[in-house]
Amino acid sequence: MKAELLAGLSPEDKEKRKAILYGSADGLQVIEDHLRKRVAQLQASRLGKQDYGSPSWALMQADKVGELRALLEVIDLLTLDRENNG
């Protein structure tokens, strides 16, 4: 679990938050799986040649990179067992 999800909480509140998140683990996994599929689609589209002819190709690539970064950050938060701080 990311330490930032527990930051600033008392020890008692940390335990409550952990219980809530781990109790929701199955639902969070469904969301994470969906986001990982979206990441794979984005990565594939970034490597495609279909957009090279567009005059705004660089902007489109930058947008995809930003979206990819945001999705990976959310996936990182949803992955409860990766980091065990707190």
Side-chain angles (χ1 to χ4, degrees):
M1 178 178 306
K2 295 290 286 181
E4 64 192 89
L5 294 174
L6 305 174
L9 297 176
S10 69
E12 182 180 307
D13 288 341
K14 282 182 182 182
E15 292 306 314
K16 287 179 184 178
R17 170 112 9 123
K18 284 180 183 181
I20 290 168
L21 292 172
Y22 283 118
S24 304
D26 290 341
L28 295 175
Q29 185 64 52
V30 170
I31 295 168
E32 181 182 339
D33 292 344
H34 174 75
L35 293 177
R36 288 189 185 279
K37 288 177 188 174
R38 179 67 184 130
V39 164
Q41 292 169 346
L42 256 176
Q43 289 175 326
S45 73
R46 282 183 43 218
L47 299 175
K49 295 181 180 182
Q50 67 273 16
D51 295 332
Y52 285 166
S54 171
S56 60
W57 175 83
L59 296 174
M60 292 167 50
Q61 285 295 312
D63 181 62
K64 289 177 184 179
V65 168
E67 184 179 356
L68 182 59
R69 188 172 42 245
L71 289 172
L72 291 173
E73 185 175 337
V74 172
I75 288 169
D76 193 42
L77 287 171
L78 291 174
T79 306
L80 299 176
D81 59 357
R82 181 177 304 138
E83 186 179 322
N84 192 8
N85 294 331

